[in-house]
Every structure is written in structure tokens, then in C-alpha cells.
Amino acid sequence: MSVAPAPVSPSPDLAGLFAAWDAPAAGPVSFAAPGAPPEGSVWRSDLPADPAAAAARLDEQLAQLQAAAEAVPAAEQRLDSAAQQARAAAEGALSFAAGEAMPEPERALLESLAELRQPAAAPVSFGAPGEPLALPPEWRSALDELRPILERVQRSILYHTYVETALGGRVVAHTALTWLGDAETEWRGRSVADEVDLHQRSLKAAVASRNLLLRVFLLSLRFAGSLATPGGVVLSLPAAWKFVNQVLAEMAHYRRVTQAG
Amino acid sequence: MSDQASSGVLYFNGINGSSGAYETPPLSPDDLARAIQGDLDLSVEPERAAEIVAESPDDLSVLRQKKQDATEGHFGVKEGVDPGDLSQSGWGVIFAFKDKDRVPAIRDALAPLLNLRREQAGRLYREYADADGYRPNESKQKFLERFQVGPGPADPEQMPYYLLIVGDPETIPYRFQYQLDVQRAVGRLHFDKLEHYAYYAQSVVAAESGQYPLPRRATFFGVANPKDPATQLSAKELVDPLSASLKSNPRLSGWAVDTILADQARKSRLAQVLGGPETPALLFTASHGMGFDNGDKRQFPHQGALLCQDWPGPEDWRKPIPQDFYLAADDITAEARLLGRIAFFFACYGAGTPRLDDFSRQTKRGEIAPHAFLSQLPMRLLSHEKGGALAVVGHVERAWGVSFHTEKTGKQLAAFESTLERLMKGDRIGWGMEYFNERYAELSSDLTDFLQEVHPFTPDNVKLGSLWTANNDARGYVVLGDPAVRLTLGSGNQPLERAYVIDARYTPGAAPAAASAVSGQAGDTPAPAAASAVSGQAGDVNYGLLPDFGKARDDLQEVIRRISQALVRMIDKVTTVEVRTHLAAAEAGAEPVREAKSIIRLDGDEEHIVPRKDDDIDRALWMIHEGMVAQARQNRAEIIRTIGALFKA
């Protein structure tokens, strides 16, 4: 298999859409402190003091999230095609002539998978009898990438979500959200309509982002399972995660551009 | 405890192996009442009375409800649910949050059992682990509240009826098990070694495979040590009549019931029926359980061991008790054959020991052990490498004669008879133990009523003593092992010609396959290997020796499992939206002020709590709240759409 050089077209990813997630403040987990999030993630909407500017920022965020969610069905087709390419590459049946165009995400994916397969082709050093086996560096790197993904997914999806809206640094409301959207809100603002509206938009963005994260994770998982990689999903998930993020962001960007046009 | 009408003196089960004397000295009713009351102010408030009897007023109300339900013929699982069918009654496992680092390995070792129960319980299978696990010092009530479970008969849709606690009694206290057991069927496992979890899991799976039907035989083993009122009474008023009653029970006509009493009840004989060639499907023993001084080197390995007829009695033996007189965990050899059996030990500490003395509840409770622990004899029986017992019923702390006899009523065997009959009919053990749970509920309610009624009069010490000990005794019966196990019985009652044996194995990080892999044959032939290494996905490689890889795989599986569980839970709760809105407290740490609350159900029912301010509706807060409710509805719709897309995918 040979892979063409990467075309120069920087792909956006979804990182910006998940950027508002923070882990709760570090410290020992305590179940005793009422109201304090013991686990889970905090979605912080740090907005400008001007309500109009704040609303514009949230609108933009919501539009991006919506575009990404709408891009999922189309992205799935591209993932299927990429999985076929990956399996063909694994069997040595895929060859790209120099200069043949290949989108950047696909090229990066095949390269990553090729690296993962390398140790299986060459004998792995298992050390002297009785000594612990050493992981090939490419696999070690994949495992290192897997950990933060799992942590992010666990934190953001599996626990309560705490949504905080601040205007010009002043927190106006704080909501604890369950998985299903049951909500407990502590209101600190001035009860004016625009502050209420902004916090509700923050909630909407947080829920949309959480839903997207879940879909991306499960999509990546399914995609990783369809790639012929030694070590299966465990090793291929990081590459799959990266690929899905890139493809979704690219397609969402395209949708927004074409819709705007 | 036995209350001897002739002398008016109360004797207790339990012999101190360190000294050779009774674990608790014989007491008069007045002495006992004083010990119970200690510095108790009898002018107790209801809450205080509740605390004395149960753990909280809420626990007490559950006990009262249980008593009422039992009176009306309903207890345990809710009406219409078949407790024998796990797909209706549900099955769950509770790990401790504190054990979260160990849980993946324990889950791996228990995988055959968990997989089997998951398959049987379907959508009513639950795992409570990590953040959903038992939290430090949590009461039963608080635990249930976290999952929106209230008092009353167990509704498996909310939480499974059968619950297996996995954790030691320091991490998940006995009191949590006692109270959770009131409305549910609860068992406990805790082993120091991972392989013991694996052996137990493989034994249960093998036993339930149907390959090892047991003859319908039950053995009753009753020690009656010379000049020892406690065991004289248990032999005469418990073991003998109980075995006779079951032997003549027409509903158990196919059963052979053997009775081993008094002089026959020696250690060597017990070894024959507990792992030896005559081991029955069901073994019931009544004897003293060994107790030791706090910190004695034999306390951990031997406390709760069964003292046999070899002990010459309190008058003829006044020195430390040698192991020759009692059967302990280390007497159970690798040759023991226990697969699929159930044992019931009526003995002090037969199941376990708390750190603090349960007896002197009202005074400062003394330490009786460095830490709470499970007795090693039952744990050895459950985790036997050649196939273990399915469950052991035993007693935590001291066992009391009031379990089966009181001065006024004579022998009372209904709870024992009913429970054992269920086990012999092949019912699940947790369901069988409902009779003991009902008894605890009744006694607790009676004791609380008594404590409330006596104020400000002088209490009836005999009655107080009886109720108190009966209450503590009744709550102390626990199941060690999976509460959903049951005997797999053949049609006949003739002893097996060759013992059943399996070759349980454990490879860390490689969950053994379920029932089919744990094959065994009748006879002492080693079975085929239990498990192969977990296969990878494409390009299979055996990664069993790559710990980092194994951990990453476990972490990934854990996340997927938890997402699946979360999705299932969401489906359970999807019909209700709950929204609360309140103003921030003026000062940090203070209670929030003015709260609005709405609960909206899919069937159209709505419930609202409207905040008030200055004798009027707090319109500003209500307006915000209405906005939050509208937003919550939108969010719910969005979440459901996402779930739908996920399922579709």
C-alpha cells in the first residue's frame, strides 16, 4: 500500500463545539457537600456583558452544533467508504498513485492504521521469558490517546451536567442537569428577560453539545469496529475518533457555507 | 439465647475460644434489661425509638409497612411479579464507590455469573458501581432515594428485587444489608482474592447449567453439649422438631431428611456432611459458633466456626477451646465436594462479626473486633476451587434462642420451616428468606411500640429483654452468596455414586466464558480448561500478558457498559420531567430561598409548587421557572431524538 502525500487543506474539527466543557474543580470527591458537583462536567458560557453580543455568540454556537448534528447521516456514508478503504489497505489491495487526490482525513486515517499494523508485521520483542511484554511505541501512543477520550466521554456523558451562564464575568444562573434534562436551577441574576433567555440558550447549547458528543463517540466506536486493526477497537478508536471529528466538522462547515450562500 | 423458665436465667449461643467460657455470660431478665437500657432515657421520642430499633425513622416506617404487608399476605416483591423469574423480578449487583479501582477486576472475575444474570434478567439487570455504587456511610434510604425508589413492596422496574452486595462489611456495612433486605432479597460476597470470586461465579453457573442435579436430601445437625442449656435447647426445640416437621411435610414427599443429634454430632461427622461423601443438597446446623477475644490471632480465621459435640461443656472444660472441637474454614480441604449446595448455620457469628457489639446498643458500644468481617467458613465453602456452595445463611453477631423459643410461647419454628420448605422446593434463596425479613419487621414494630408505650412507666424488663434480643436476632440473619441461587434437584433422593466436581480457574484480565466453558463431569475427573484468553477483534492476538492493553480494554468496556446502562435507565424514567428553580441563598451554605417546582408526566398529569413572596405569588421567580420548564421540555425532546437516532444506528 502506498499513500499519497497530504493535500494542503487544513480540516477543521469539532473541538470548538466541545470547548465549553470543563471538569469540575479538582479535589477529593465528596458526597457530603450539597450542591457541589462531585463528578461530571461544567458547561461554562462566559459571555460578554452586552446582552446582544452575548446572544449573538450563543446563536453562532447553536448554529454550529445544529449543523454538525445534521451532518451525521451524510458523514456515516463517508465512514462506510473509509472503512472499505481501510480494509482494502489491510489486505494490501489499495494503492494510490502519486498525486492521486485523497481527502486529508482519509489519508491521515490510513496512515495511522498502517502504523498500528506495523508491529504485527514485524516480530514484536517480547523480552526475556518471565519479563513483562513491551508494547510497541505506536500502540502505546494509541493507548495514550484513548485515555483522554474515555475520560471526556465519561465526564461529559455519564454524570450530571452543570451549566453556568456568566455575563461579563457575573454568574447569573447555575443549573444541574440530569441525563434526561431534569433541571435544578439556582438563579442569581436580576430576573430580567434577556438574562433568562441567555441562560436558556446556554442550556440548549449544553444539551446539544452533550448529545453530539455521545453520537460522535458511538459513531467512532462503530467505525473503529469496522476497521481491520490488530487489537481491534481498543487501538483503532483514537484514529476513528479523530477521523469522525474531522469529517463531521468538514461536512458541517460545508453545510453552513452552502446554506449561507 | 435460651430463656430457661425454671431458673429465669438467659443463656446465649457462642463460646469464647480464647477463654473457653460463654461468649456472653448468663443473665437474669433484669440484668439483660439493664444492659439493654444502659444509659437509655426511656422517655424517648419516636425518632429516638426508631433509631434504637432500626437505623432511621424511614427505615422504621418501611418495617411497619412490611409488617402490614405481611399481615395482608403481601411481602417482598410487588403483586403480579413472579419472584422466581428474574426477567420479572430483576437482578442487580451493588459495588462500593470506595472499591472503584478494584471493581473492574472483580467484575472480570465474576463475569460468568454477571453474564448469566444479565441474560436472565434482561432489561431488569442492573449494576450499581462507581458513582452509582454504595457511597461511604450511606443509609439504605439515601441509597434508594438516589434511584427514586421509595418504601413499599419492591418494584423491579425501579430497582431489582434480587441484589447482590459485593464488598466487605466495613465498606458496605451490615446495617445497610439488614435494612435493604427488608423489602428486597439481598446477599453478599466478599473475598480477599480475585480467583475466589471467579470460582464462586463458575460454581453458580455450573450448578444452574442443569448438569449437576442433586439428590433430594437434607441433613439436620444439632449439637447438644453436656450441661449447656443453649445447645440442649436448640437440639430439642429447634433441630429435632424442625427435621421431623419437614420429614412429614407432604409437600416435600420425595425428600430424605437425616437428623444427626447430640452424641453423633461430632466434628468428624460434620466433616462428612459438609464437603464429605454424605454432603446433602441442604444442610442445617445448630450449635455454638466460636467467638474470640478482640484481636486474638484466631479471631479472623476461626470466629463463627461451628463448635461440635467434642466440646465437653462449660462445666468440664474451662480453658481455651482447641480446633479439635470445632470445624473451621481451614478444615475444608481441596477434596471437599460442595458444588450446588446450600447451608444454614444457626450459630453465633456464623456469617460475620461487626466491629462493635450489637448487644449493648444503648450504652457505649464496645469493640468486639478490630474491624467488621465475614466468617471464613462460609466464604471457604462458597469459593471452593472444585465447585463451591451456592449460598450460606448465617447470623451476624450473636444468635439467640428467641429465634425459635420464648418462655411464653414455647417453640416457634414457622420462619425456619417456611424458609427451608421454599429452599427444598427449589425456590430462590432470597425469596425463601422473606419469612425472616417479615419476622424482623414485626419484631421491630413491636419493640418500637413498646418503647413508646412504656414512657414514663417502669418497663417490663422481661418483655423489653425479649423484644430487644428478638429484634436484634431477627435482623442478623443474612445470605452470603447470590440471593437468586436455588437448588438444582434431581428426581431421586439416593446419594450420588460419585461426587460432582468442576475445575474452576481464573486468569486475570481474561474473563472466563460462562456456563458452557465451566464443564465438569460426575466424578473426580478434572474438567477441561475453563477459559481461553479473551479474543481481540480483527487480527486476534493474545493480549493477556499486556497489562496496559488489558486495562485500556477494560476501561473502554466499562464506558460502553455504563453508557448502555444509562440509556436503559433513561428509558425507565423518560415519562417524567422534573424542574426546580430557586433563588440563590443570601449567604453561602444557607438554605436556598423560595423554590418553584414542576413535575410533568407524559400522561398529561402535572404537579406544580408555586413560590410565594409577601403573601403573594413570587411572579418573577415563577416566570423564570416557566421558562425553565419550557426549556426542559425542549431538551427532553432533543435527548429522546438523539436516543432514537442511536438505537436506529
Side-chain angles (χ1 to χ4, degrees), chain B residues 7-19:
Chain B
S7 63
V9 173
L10 308 169
Y11 291 86
F12 301 83
N13 282 71
I15 295 296
N16 186 309
S18 308
S19 65

Side-chain angles (χ1 to χ4, degrees), chain B residues 148-177:
Chain B
Q148 287 81 50
V149 179
D155 180 353
E157 296 286 341
Q158 296 178 322
M159 181 176 281
Y161 171 64
Y162 293 98
L163 290 169
L164 173 62
I165 292 171
V166 178
D168 70 75
E170 280 290 322
T171 309
I172 304 181
Y174 286 126
R175 65 170 188 278
F176 176 75
Q177 184 173 3

